[in-house]
Amino acid sequence: MKKVVKFGGSSLADSEQFKKAAAIIRAEDSRVYAVPSAPGKRFSGDRKVTDLLLDAYAAAADGKSFDGILGKIEARYKEICEGLGIGDFDLGSDFAEIAGSLKENPKRDFTASRGEYLNGKILARCLGWEFIDAKDVIFFDEDGRFDPEKTNSVLKARLDKTPQAVIPGFYGCAADGSVKTFSRGGSDITGSIVARAANADVYENWTDVSGFMVADPRIVNDPQSIDVITYRELRELSYMGASVLHEEAIFPVRKAGIPINIRNTNDPAAPGTWIVESTAHQPKFTITGIAGKKDFCSVLISKALMNSEIGFYERVANAFADNGISIEHMPSGIDTMTVVVHESEFLEKEQRVISELNRRCHPDNIEIDSDLALIAVVGRGMKNTRGTAGRIFSALAHAHVNVRMIDQGSSELNIIIAVANDDFETAIRAIYDIFVTTQL
Ligand code: ASP
């Protein structure tokens, strides 16, 4: 058994958290490769080290002094090292290098990456493991995109020679040899890349929650957790705003058939959530999860006999695409179709799109509706359960929520419902209650 463990920023925010992470790693011999984030927030209102580094970069790029910010960052690492009993571990030359680069030629990605780099060095020292700089093993191509195959072969060869190692998250090497970061939260991607190259049995992703919840805890009080979720279900939920893991983190491990186990550093005994390719494991409830987003508009286009008109859909889609607006959903009726778009993208171009639609499609009528929220009810169990949609709609009717639109994905993995923005929270609670609370 071989495991790759990734620890998020809150799991390494200070020396106390660091100790918990180290104890988790030491608790199992199978945990052989560790991927740290930079120190995160220690309390609400605190700043992440990555944000402080970006502040230092912004100050330097503006020609302002960054010494105060760098001092704060240095103090955070000093506390970590002293708390871990390795106060003699000297990071002075690393800080001199960061300061030197900020002074002479400030580089955003290099600066932002130092949070992970320093945490990686400390964790390696604390565990007595080898430190592998991500810059030597993770690569981006000429277009700035992550290069999975080059990375996999170089990293695999390196790990084959290194039985235990710490590889910092979040960054790698650009085609010109400079440091380049992934988007924010990108250490999740590094963990996944390392798990694939190591051919690990499990990718453990340690964070500050015990896995995924059936619904957003800010909306539903103390929601149930999800034991097992498939990659496809997760994609649907994260697309609709549920976030625990970086969206791109599933691709490397999914390709290699490695499950991800989301775990809680502050509650290591909790089993967390398993993310798997497919499973015979029956979900606890008919639905796996509910997620949603506010602020959409719908454009209802009516035209008699539209479905016998060749190319009608394409002309509609192009009226949006040519104005740079991405289409979220497109449910259709016999003589009607609805295009759902993000309000923020649509509003300023609204009249241009309408005149394009009139010019290209000659519809009988166009109606716009705004302030809509979309809710996705996701579950692999829905396909084989009768009456799921019926239960959703009767729950919403009982909660006095008017359903403005329905779209069932062809995968039968999700049902998407549009409601007024103001009904969003009520609708999510009603759906949660009918599928979860009443089943407990
Ligand atoms: N430290 C980086 C960030 O805050 C990357 C990560 O934590 O995954 O986005």
Side-chain angles (χ1 to χ4, degrees):
M1 178 69 112
K2 205 192 293 176
K3 291 182 179 176
V4 169
V5 289
K6 179 259 166 179
F7 286 89
S10 56
S11 302
L12 301 168
D14 58 20
S15 58
E16 284 313 305
Q17 290 301 94
F18 238 93
K19 282 181 198 162
K20 292 184 196 170
I24 288 167
I25 297 171
R26 289 193 187 106
E28 277 188 31
D29 290 343
S30 57
R31 296 185 174 129
V32 285
Y33 299 116
V35 175
S37 281
K41 292 184 186 182
R42 295 159 294 181
F43 42 83
S44 93
D46 193 19
R47 309 224 50 217
K48 297 178 174 189
V49 163
T50 308
D51 289 324
L52 292 171
L53 286 162
L54 286 168
D55 289 350
Y57 163 76
D62 251 12
K64 296 192 188 124
S65 161
F66 52 82
D67 295 342
I69 309 171
L70 217 50
K72 272 192 204 161
I73 299 170
E74 218 169 338
R76 295 219 30 195
Y77 286 104
K78 193 159 181 264
E79 183 281 324
I80 291 172
C81 289
E82 279 170 2
L84 290 173
I86 50 169
D88 60 332
F89 190 45
D90 187 13
L91 298 173
S93 58
D94 292 305
F95 275 99
E97 191 191 5
I98 298 170
S101 111
L102 284 173
K103 214 164 273 155
E104 276 145 41
N105 180 14
K107 293 200 184 83
R108 184 196 172 280
D109 283 18
F110 172 78
T111 313
S113 73
R114 295 303 88 184
E116 273 70 11
Y117 172 82
L118 294 169
N119 251 7
K121 285 184 77 167
I122 295 171
L123 186 60
R125 162 72 188 253
C126 170
L127 296 167
W129 287 8
E130 192 168 318
F131 171 78
I132 299 179
D133 191 346
K135 186 172 181 277
D136 300 332
V137 286
I138 290 184
F139 301 97
F140 294 88
D141 65 18
E142 297 283 347
D143 300 323
R145 278 187 306 240
F146 169 59
D147 185 340
E149 296 322 318
K150 177 174 179 192
T151 298
N152 200 49
S153 72
V154 174
L155 181 56
K156 193 172 174 346
R158 181 70 188 264
L159 297 181
D160 280 347
K161 291 187 292 194
T162 323
Q164 290 167 319
V166 175
I167 307 102
F170 190 39
Y171 70 92
C173 182
D176 65 1
S178 64
V179 163
K180 179 169 167 57
T181 61
F182 289 105
S183 56
R184 296 298 304 266
S187 300
D188 284 338
I189 310 175
T190 311
S192 183
I193 293 166
V194 174
R196 177 185 173 208
N199 204 6
D201 297 282
V202 182
Y203 167 25
E204 283 181 350
N205 188 296
W206 291 82
T207 173
D208 52 7
V209 288
S210 295
F212 285 96
M213 305 290 148
V214 174
D216 186 337
R218 286 166 302 186
I219 299 174
V220 171
N221 192 19
D222 199 15
Q224 291 281 309
S225 57
I226 301 174
D227 300 339
V228 182
I229 185 170
T230 64
Y231 287 121
R232 285 173 57 211
E233 290 174 308
L234 180 67
R235 284 286 295 153
E236 304 277 356
L237 287 174
S238 6
Y239 182 67
M240 271 297 180
S243 67
V244 169
L245 197 66
H246 191 293
E247 265 202 334
E248 290 161 45
I250 63 174
F251 298 113
V253 275
R254 186 173 182 180
K255 208 169 187 173
I258 301 166
I260 307 176
N261 187 196
I262 307 283
R263 300 285 291 268
N264 188 349
T265 303
N266 303 317
D267 184 9
T273 298
W274 284 89
I275 308 169
V276 300
E277 178 65 44
S278 66
T279 174
H281 192 103
Q282 288 297 327
K284 259 195 292 191
F285 311 101
T286 309
I287 60 162
T288 304
I290 314 163
K293 283 191 209 165
K294 286 185 174 178
D295 298 327
F296 290 92
C297 280
S298 70
V299 182
L300 171 73
I301 303 155
S302 318
K303 183 174 190 183
L305 302 177
M306 71 159 66
N307 43 10
S308 57
E309 223 180 276
I310 293 170
F312 189 82
Y313 273 48
E314 192 186 344
R315 287 196 292 280
V316 169
N318 285 343
F320 288 86
D322 292 352
N323 281 294
I325 298 170
S326 63
I327 295 178
E328 213 53 30
H329 288 282
M330 231 159 109
S332 63
I334 303 297
D335 287 332
T336 59
M337 62 188 291
T338 305
V339 181
V340 181
V341 290
H342 280 277
E343 211 158 84
S344 57
E345 280 182 19
F346 181 66
L347 278 187
E348 64 188 71
K349 296 173 184 158
E350 174 193 86
Q351 292 311 318
R352 250 191 285 161
V353 177
I354 302 300
S355 60
E356 287 281 300
L357 284 170
N358 278 319
R359 195 172 57 78
R360 296 185 194 199
C361 314
H362 310 290
D364 297 335
N365 191 27
I366 297 178
E367 266 172 59
I368 302 178
D369 214 350
S370 58
D371 296 328
L372 290 177
L374 293 182
I375 298 172
V377 185
V378 176
R380 59 187 183 279
M382 294 191 329
K383 192 157 69 179
N384 302 319
T385 315
R386 258 180 296 141
T388 309
R391 286 168 75 193
I392 297 176
F393 300 122
S394 78
L396 292 175
H398 274 101
H400 305 289
V401 172
N402 183 20
V403 176
R404 306 276 280 273
M405 194 198 78
I406 306 159
D407 189 9
Q408 174 159 28
S410 49
S411 61
E412 286 193 63
L413 197 66
N414 66 353
I415 295 178
I416 295 183
I417 311 152
V419 300
N421 269 344
D422 287 345
D423 285 335
F424 180 66
E425 284 85 4
T426 313
I428 289 191
R429 281 186 214 114
I431 299 169
Y432 181 86
D433 284 343
I434 195 73
F435 288 104
V436 181
T437 315
T438 57
Q439 307 298 312
L440 292 173

